[in-house]
Amino acid sequence: MSYSPSKEGGLSQAAPNINSQDLTRTAAKGSTPEDQVSPMVDEASPSSTSSFEMLDMELVPAPYQEVQPHWFFCRRAEDSTSWLPFSREDSDKLENACNTIGEKGEEEVVVAVDGERYDVHVRERKRYAVYWEQAPTEVRRCTWFYKGDKDTRFMPYPEDSAKRLELIMQYLPIGLQDEWVSSPSEHTRPGTVKRGVSNIPVEIPDGEPEKVDHLVFMVHGIGPACDLRFRSIIQCVNDFRSASLSLLASHYKRAQQDGKIGKVEFLPVNWHSALHGDATGVDEDIQRITLPSISRLRHFTNDTLLDLFFYNSPTYCQTIVDTVASEINRLHTLFKQRHPEFNGEVSVVGHSLGSLILFDLLTNQRTGSEDRKGDKTGAIRLAPGLQAPPPVTSDADGNQSSELTMQQSQFHRAQSVTSAVDYEYFDMGIGQVSIDYPQLAFHPQTFFAFGSPIGMFLTVRGLKHIDPNYTFPTCKSFYNIYHPYDPVAYRIEPMIVYEVDLEPMLIPHHKGRKRMHLGVCEESECTVSAEQKEQPEIKMGMLNDGRRIDFVLQEKPIESFNEYLFAIQSHLCYWESEDTALLLLKEIYDKQGVAFEQPQQ
């Protein structure tokens, strides 16, 4: 008899009185699930039941019911042992599409899943990434699962093997449909077979909201890895996105239930592969001059730390900036094509060196009303307010004078309180390379910097003071977010308001409380809070529309034991920080007039 797939897309609980859904089988060591199915058919025949013990023979099983499938995908192309379930909504869509393939003949059916960040080719059984380069992975329509004695989770059988197991389930005599256990005389490794996803311990994720309220591009820092687990920017952004979805469900629950909000989409921007790819040839050039000793450390230096030097090179800085801008514009265009109904705002996030790249890029954006004829080809034009002091020379009598003409000096003094020199009048800026900055296809609403060295780089470039009236030409909000132990992070506010020593704004814990540190009593915390509230309101200039710029995370109690021990981890903590994700969500939805809700503890 032929096997026909289920016509229903959703999951349903199997009847609780069907004992035959749990089978304990004998699996030979080193054998594969495909190899194990045929022996099971033979051993399960009525003529070969001597190797099994029958249990609960008096129980009469319920009539056969067809198993409800659920779709899984392989996490990585090179690892066929790591399978994860699709959400219920995505599984339903895939099941419905699978049922329509027969009606359309040989035509491929493509289903968008995971918030439309992946496309599944149903006939091919492959899952393709939409926005980034990633090898396609296998997907399966799963009904039967197995686990060996050394396995930690259940694995789905291939679809052909699952169909054969279902035939066994359907046509075996009633007695043989009960639970089986291997006899003590057998010396092979036991394994467990289960029928239906409802009978295995797996967490099926809830589907994401379809509506996208805001789009955020996230730019990584130095190196190909973004955290201590050496994960890529794609994996780290996936974690940040998951944290934001969880926080939306807990802190904006009523707004979601009322349909006022959907979700915030986060997309990764990868520039490291373009810099170190075959097009530039820089890796081969560096490898030829690299010493053979301590090879692992030298490889780490070449692949990671050298990115800082590349960014200060005119040749490779242009490559980096062009890659970041073109990748952001490409992702923006692709997102608009896949979400034609999207009419929300767009923000950008930069981590470490990525924040400096975005800072320089946003500083050199032009508004629609600006005329490009006055720009010098290939020169940095740093807007008034972000300028370095003019070069000073001495004559034979020891009198110092600026290289600028009197007319130029008056022009710049009128523009900035620092009497600074515009980089437009120099072939190369002080400490900054001369490149042509590309333009973004949109005006970002907010720029978030994580663990940023922007303040240090501006100081090294010769900038001592940021004019309070300065703002990015196309972006009106800027947040500098850092961990107190982050060795790469620097502050911005002292460069704007240098006459007042202000503490950074403390980012609240996402559960609405302060972290309790060892040796710090509650009374002292209340005193510090009171002192913070008593600080006078000070205008922070227009870089963040008059609001505070520096925001510091609360360190964990264990981190207070030894700040040096957790220094590197502190620089990489932002991708999994719920406090950071909540700050972004509050900034985004506050501008949409959506109220924030603190969940009850």
Side-chain angles (χ1 to χ4, degrees):
M1 181 175 292
S2 62
Y3 174 84
S4 60
S6 170
K7 300 299 182 183
E8 298 179 5
L11 294 173
S12 63
Q13 298 292 332
N17 58 346
I18 299 181
N19 297 329
S20 53
Q21 289 184 358
D22 290 352
L23 303 177
T24 302
R25 62 174 174 78
T26 299
K29 291 185 178 180
S31 61
T32 62
E34 294 89 338
D35 299 333
Q36 296 162 6
V37 174
S38 296
M40 286 183 62
V41 178
D42 298 335
E43 293 173 359
S45 61
S47 61
S48 59
T49 58
S50 58
S51 60
F52 295 94
E53 297 177 1
M54 300 301 179
L55 304 180
D56 299 331
M57 293 299 294
E58 293 86 3
L59 297 178
V60 178
Y64 169 79
Q65 293 183 5
E66 191 173 11
V67 64
Q68 296 299 323
H70 193 90
W71 289 72
F72 281 64
F73 65 91
C74 194
R75 181 184 297 177
R76 292 179 295 272
E78 67 277 5
D79 182 11
S80 61
T81 62
S82 179
W83 290 85
L84 295 175
F86 285 102
S87 68
R88 298 183 185 277
E89 290 79 1
D90 287 343
S91 181
D92 289 349
K93 290 191 297 184
L94 291 171
E95 182 65 18
N96 293 333
C98 182
N99 293 333
T100 62
I101 286 181
E103 302 173 2
K104 294 187 177 183
E106 298 298 325
E107 183 179 351
E108 181 62 273
V109 178
V110 179
V111 178
V113 296
D114 291 339
E116 298 195 21
R117 294 180 296 275
Y118 289 88
D119 284 338
V120 171
H121 294 206
V122 179
R123 180 181 294 277
E124 186 186 6
R125 295 295 200 266
K126 292 291 185 180
R127 172 176 172 261
Y128 292 87
V130 173
Y131 295 105
W132 51 80
E133 293 184 4
Q134 180 178 331
T137 59
E138 183 184 356
V139 300
R140 285 182 186 175
R141 181 180 183 270
C142 304
T143 53
W144 284 79
F145 304 85
Y146 70 94
K147 184 177 72 169
D149 57 346
K150 295 182 179 180
D151 296 332
T152 58
R153 64 179 64 183
F154 281 89
M155 302 284 294
Y157 271 106
E159 294 185 37
D160 291 343
S161 301
K163 290 180 181 179
R164 296 163 67 183
L165 286 171
E166 191 66 17
L167 288 175
I168 296 175
M169 190 69 193
Q170 185 174 359
Y171 293 108
L172 279 180
I174 292 179
L176 291 179
Q177 290 184 1
D178 290 332
E179 186 174 355
W180 298 343
V181 297
S182 57
S183 62
S185 60
E186 298 181 13
H187 300 287
T188 52
R189 176 171 59 92
T192 303
V193 178
K194 286 185 178 289
R195 177 177 183 261
V197 71
S198 59
N199 293 303
I200 64 174
V202 61
E203 182 178 354
I204 299 178
D206 296 327
E208 299 180 14
E210 294 184 1
K211 179 186 175 184
V212 179
D213 303 320
H214 200 92
L215 176 61
V216 180
F217 296 112
M218 310 190 81
V219 182
H220 66 85
I222 62 174
C226 295
D227 64 1
L228 291 178
R229 287 179 281 174
F230 297 97
R231 297 185 304 166
S232 67
I233 178 64
I234 298 172
Q235 295 170 303
C236 291
V237 172
N238 287 343
D239 272 358
F240 198 89
R241 184 189 305 111
S242 298
S244 72
L245 290 172
S246 177
L247 290 169
L248 284 175
S250 58
H251 291 69
Y252 292 87
K253 183 176 181 180
R254 182 174 303 176
Q256 273 195 338
Q257 292 176 346
D258 296 341
K260 295 181 180 179
I261 65 172
K263 66 178 181 181
V264 178
E265 182 60 278
F266 297 89
L267 296 180
V269 178
N270 184 5
W271 55 266
H272 183 271
S273 57
L275 174 65
H276 294 265
D278 296 335
T280 62
V282 63
D283 283 4
E284 294 182 3
D285 296 337
I286 293 295
Q287 187 61 37
R288 281 196 297 267
I289 61 176
T290 300
L291 300 181
S293 60
I294 52 173
S295 57
R296 292 186 179 181
L297 180 58
R298 295 187 190 278
H299 175 74
F300 173 80
T301 301
N302 293 345
D303 205 31
T304 304
L305 300 181
L306 285 188
D307 288 347
L308 291 171
F309 298 98
F310 288 142
Y311 188 67
N312 286 287
S313 161
T315 301
Y316 298 112
C317 180
Q318 187 72 65
T319 301
I320 294 173
V321 171
D322 286 345
T323 301
V324 171
S326 62
E327 183 68 3
I328 290 177
N329 288 337
R330 182 190 71 84
L331 292 173
H332 182 260
T333 301
L334 183 57
F335 180 84
K336 294 282 287 185
Q337 291 175 353
R338 295 180 67 89
H339 299 267
E341 74 286 350
F342 175 75
N343 59 357
E345 297 290 340
V346 183
S347 295
V348 291
V349 171
H351 174 244
S352 190
L353 181 61
S355 65
L356 179 65
I357 298 171
L358 287 176
F359 186 90
D360 291 337
L361 194 61
L362 293 177
T363 298
N364 290 276
Q365 294 296 292
R366 292 182 296 269
T367 60
S369 60
E370 289 184 348
D371 189 359
R372 299 187 59 180
K373 293 182 179 180
D375 290 346
K376 233 181 177 182
T377 303
I380 298 289
R381 188 188 189 284
L382 209 50
L386 284 181
Q387 300 158 343
V392 177
T393 60
S394 300
D395 55 20
D397 298 330
N399 297 322
Q400 294 182 342
S401 62
S402 172
E403 293 181 0
L404 292 177
T405 64
M406 181 62 67
Q407 180 181 2
Q408 290 174 343
S409 298
Q410 291 176 349
F411 173 74
H412 290 287
R413 277 197 292 269
Q415 283 187 334
S416 172
V417 296
T418 59
S419 301
V421 175
D422 197 316
Y423 279 39
E424 182 182 12
Y425 290 89
F426 293 91
D427 290 334
M428 297 186 70
I430 299 177
Q432 172 65 320
V433 297
S434 176
I435 65 171
D436 183 20
Y437 281 91
Q439 302 298 299
L440 297 178
F442 56 92
H443 291 180
Q445 182 185 73
T446 308
F447 168 33
F448 300 95
F450 295 169
S452 174
I454 291 175
M456 181 270 290
F457 270 85
L458 293 180
T459 302
V460 171
R461 292 173 183 177
L463 181 67
K464 297 182 179 297
H465 177 49
I466 299 177
D467 187 64
N469 295 321
Y470 173 73
T471 183
F472 295 120
T474 60
C475 182
K476 302 306 178 185
S477 298
F478 173 44
Y479 286 85
N480 183 38
I481 303 169
Y482 61 91
H483 190 283
Y485 300 155
D486 189 339
V488 181
Y490 289 82
R491 294 192 62 184
I492 296 294
E493 291 178 347
M495 301 186 70
I496 303 175
V497 183
Y498 52 87
E499 66 274 6
V500 180
D501 186 14
L502 284 178
E503 293 292 327
M505 293 294 294
L506 190 66
I507 299 177
H509 192 272
H510 65 279
K511 293 185 177 180
R513 55 175 172 80
K514 278 192 172 184
R515 297 186 184 273
M516 299 298 295
H517 292 81
L518 297 177
V520 180
C521 64
E522 186 175 356
E523 290 79 10
S524 63
E525 288 188 347
C526 295
T527 303
V528 173
S529 301
E531 291 177 355
Q532 288 184 344
K533 293 180 180 180
E534 292 174 0
Q535 290 182 353
E537 286 289 336
I538 296 180
K539 280 287 185 179
M540 275 298 159
M542 300 308 297
L543 198 54
N544 194 22
D545 200 20
R547 297 173 297 175
R548 298 295 300 272
I549 299 174
D550 292 336
F551 288 78
V552 60
L553 291 166
Q554 301 181 48
E555 69 273 17
K556 298 178 181 178
I558 191 175
E559 294 172 343
S560 62
F561 282 122
N562 191 327
E563 57 189 44
Y564 292 96
L565 183 62
F566 293 94
I568 301 301
Q569 179 179 329
S570 299
H571 182 60
L572 306 173
C573 71
Y574 307 98
W575 304 111
E576 297 179 335
S577 171
E578 293 176 301
D579 300 347
T580 303
L582 184 58
L583 178 63
L584 266 66
L585 294 177
K586 290 176 66 176
E587 164 65 15
I588 291 170
Y589 284 109
D590 281 352
K591 291 186 176 180
Q592 298 184 14
V594 179
F596 165 80
E597 308 168 22
Q598 185 62 52
Q600 298 292 331
Q601 300 300 320

